[in-house]
Structures are given as structure tokens and as C-alpha cells.
Amino acid sequence: MTENLFGIDERILTLAQEAEKECTQMFVQTDKIAQYNGEKVLKAFIDNRVSESCLKGTTGYGYGDCGRDTLDKVFAQAFGGEDAIVRHTFVNGTHALSTALFGVLRMGDTLLSCVGRPYDTLEGVIGLTGEKGSGSLMDFGVKYEQVDLVDEKTPDFESIAQKAKTAKVAYIQRSRGYSLRPSLSVEVIGKIAETAKQANPDIIVMVDNCYGEFVEKQEPLSVGADLIIGSLIKNPGGGIASTGGYICGRADLVEKCADRLTCVGMGKEVGCTLSQNREMLLGFFMSPQTVASAVKTSVFACRLFEKLGFKTLPESSETRTDIIASILLENEENLTAFCKGIQKGSPVDSFVTPEAWDMPGYESKVIMAAGAFTMGASIELSADAPIREPFAAWLQGGITYPSGRMGILVAANEMCKKGLLRF
């Protein structure tokens, strides 16, 4: 038995050992997926002749940056796209999504959200929140419609088919955001794409792929999506990329997005990479294995907290389609103690006490625990939650399983010390 360096309550350790044994089958399946995706990424590196010179950066205009251009090709091949734009100048996932939406939508077009209201931070981009005249899509004459889920779980395919007839973009958010609906499998995304395109062959299917990359063997581009978008401080950065994001898919659409990111006529041809190429290439190379660690951490956390009497979404035995798990902690006291425990079990800023605050882009106060090497990196173990019912902690990340596992144990132990657990 490993020495109890963190002073974890023996009752929690016993439950943890039982939980790990019960997660064995899920861990084996996760490792198989990581092996497949790792080989896929390696082949993309070899086929696109990644060289030592690609690891260097450029300054100024960035003309002829072989590392930048090769990185785009590697992402495109690994994700099954015709082209990609991968840049450290995307400040977060929402910025990449905003760039893609403004890149392909024009005045009079309709944006159709196929699985309900989008994630909080995108509402201002669309114009659902914020002041009129702030520069949202609605301010530029883009119309918005949405199709809600049936019973908050299942896509409403009939309504999607009806509304897709007049829409320019069918928007699909793969992950759940701050809701309790299931994250979407690639298979379900494919069915939504097929439904929308049968109704309107010209529609552009755009997927917010955040938190989902390399969790399954396929990516949404292989089942009918035209564009996928994500953040490099989530899955595809492998815990190494310091910042950035990507847009990948149809070459003509990627070009439009690149013109939006820089300017029309220059697009992908400009943009220096400074010293970021090595981080982004290495992070992407490592990401299948890093994602597997995050998935294992999530599965273990769900099983342990199920044994402690809490409901989790997904359940520990369910097939994973992203790295996020929701642990329903029932009240604010439990939620706060859990997040403080996650912080205490982090490698960076473990001594900091997280407090709920009015975070930009969110309607409710949010508490965030994230002792990460990269600020806000969701591929590193973190937990965040709006202070509102059902008082669920959205748990994600874990760049190594041993450290992720211990972070979960420290969180449980923090609740135990406050007398909040039911053994």
C-alpha cells in the first residue's frame, strides 16, 4: 500500500481502492482509445515532415513560418479536416468560436443552435445577453434560433430538420456547459449533421469541440461536421501549450475564418508564432495520452463519489464522450468544501482558498478551483461551479492520473474533515 502522505481518512482510502478496482474495465478501454489516437497523431507528424526547424518561431509578419504552416497540416490530418488554423493568438475557446461564427455568417443569415442554449460565454457573442450595439452577431444582422433538447437530454431531430431549412449554420455544442444534459457522442453529432443536411444541403455544421478531442476514436469531421473549434489549454494542448486555439475543417470555411482572425487578403499567410511552435506541436503530440489521464481521473472521481452517496453525470460506468463530469453535491457547503479540496490537492497555488466571484461572461457567481501550471487550463485538474442549484461541481482534467486521483482524494478528505460525508 502507498504511504499515506496526505493524511487521507482511512475510510476514504478504503473506498478509493474499491473504486479503482471497479473502474478497471473503463480504464482498459480508455487506454485502447489513447493508443489509437496516439498512433493517428504520430502518423500526422511523420506524413507532414515535422522537423526541428518547425519548432522555431518567427517575429514580425511571420511570413514563411514553416512551423505554423506544418502545425496546421498536422491538426487537419489528425482531426480529418482539409485545413486548419492553429494559433496562439486565440485567447480562449470562445474567441476561436467567435472568430468562426463571424467568419462564415453574414447579414440576414440564421444561426441555429441545435442542442439548446449555448455556453454562457457565447451568449454575448450571439447577442443573447449584453448591451445592444456592443458588436454581437445580432448587431450585424444575424438571426438566431435554437432547438431545445427533448426532456433536456435528447436532440429534437424533427425540429432540427424543420429549422435547418432556413439556417446558414447548424451549431452543435459537444460538451454540456453548465447544464446537466449529457455531452454528445460523435455518433449523435453525426446524426444531427445528417438531419440538418438532409433538410438543407448547403447548411454549415459547426461543432464546439471543446473538452471532446481524443476522448473517442473519431472526431466530428468524420461524421459530417464542416468545422470544429477548440482551445489548446483544453484537450489538444496536452497540458503543454500555454495558450491558443484551433479551427479545423473545410478549406474554404477555414480560409474565411482566417480572414476574420487577421484580415481579408492575408488570412493564414501572416501571424508570427514567436516561441510557441514547440509548445503547440509537443502538446498536440502528448494530448491523446493526457486526455486518457483526464478521462481516468473523471471516471475514478465519479465512482468514488457514487460510493460516498452522491449522484454523478455521467455515471462512472457510462462511456465517456468528453473529459467533464458533474458531481451533484446537493448544497453550497458541500460544493465549496469540494472545490477548496481540489485546490488543496493541486501542484500550484495549493495554499490558495477559492471564493465565489462575479466572473465575466457568467450570470451567477462562480467558484473555481484550479491550481494549474497554465491559468484556466481545463486539461489540468480543476473544478468550477456556478453558485446555484443543483450545486454541481463541473470537474475536468488531470494531466497525470496519479496526481488527478490524489486531487480527488484530497477533495473528499476536505469534506470529511468538515463532517459533510455520509459513510
Side-chain angles (χ1 to χ4, degrees), residues 149-226:
L149 297 169
V150 178
D151 297 326
E152 298 184 353
K153 291 183 179 180
T154 308
D156 184 346
F157 293 103
E158 183 177 345
S159 295
I160 290 171
Q162 183 62 35
K163 293 193 175 184
K165 294 176 182 178
T166 56
K168 176 70 173 291
V169 169
Y171 182 83
I172 303 169
Q173 182 178 291
R174 182 172 180 175
S175 192
R176 71 193 66 205
Y178 282 148
S179 74
L180 298 179
R181 69 143 170 105
S183 58
L184 303 179
S185 67
V186 172
E187 180 182 6
V188 170
I189 291 170
K191 290 179 181 179
I192 297 173
E194 181 182 15
T195 300
K197 290 188 174 185
Q198 284 180 347
N200 178 2
D202 295 324
I203 201 167
I204 298 166
V205 176
M206 181 185 297
V207 178
D208 173 356
N209 207 30
C210 287
Y211 303 104
E213 298 93 346
F214 297 133
V215 175
E216 300 183 66
K217 289 184 175 180
Q218 286 184 304
E219 298 295 331
L221 292 174
S222 64
V223 294
D226 298 297

Side-chain angles (χ1 to χ4, degrees), residues 381-392:
L381 182 64
S382 61
D384 51 273
I387 305 299
R388 65 189 185 211
E389 292 185 348
F391 298 107

Side-chain angles (χ1 to χ4, degrees), residues 7 28 94 97 135 160 182 197 211 220 240 251 290 293 359 371 391 414 419:
V28 170
T94 302
L97 290 163
I160 290 171
K197 290 188 174 185
Y211 303 104
I240 294 173
T290 306
S293 295
M359 190 173 177
F391 298 107
E414 185 69 11

Side-chain angles (χ1 to χ4, degrees), residues 86-165:
V86 188
R87 297 293 182 272
H88 73 276
T89 45
F90 285 121
V91 301
N92 54 27
T94 302
H95 180 201
L97 290 163
S98 175
T99 299
L101 289 168
F102 275 99
V104 302
L105 288 163
R106 301 290 182 267
M107 182 183 294
D109 290 341
T110 297
L111 168 64
L112 173 63
S113 180
C114 296
V115 288
R117 199 172 179 96
Y119 189 65
D120 299 41
T121 57
L122 205 63
E123 293 180 356
V125 174
I126 296 169
L128 299 175
T129 59
E131 296 182 6
K132 187 175 182 180
S134 60
S136 68
L137 287 166
M138 289 182 177
D139 285 339
F140 281 89
V142 174
K143 293 172 282 187
Y144 173 80
E145 293 188 9
Q146 74 181 44
V147 175
D148 292 326
L149 297 169
V150 178
D151 297 326
E152 298 184 353
K153 291 183 179 180
T154 308
D156 184 346
F157 293 103
E158 183 177 345
S159 295
I160 290 171
Q162 183 62 35
K163 293 193 175 184
K165 294 176 182 178

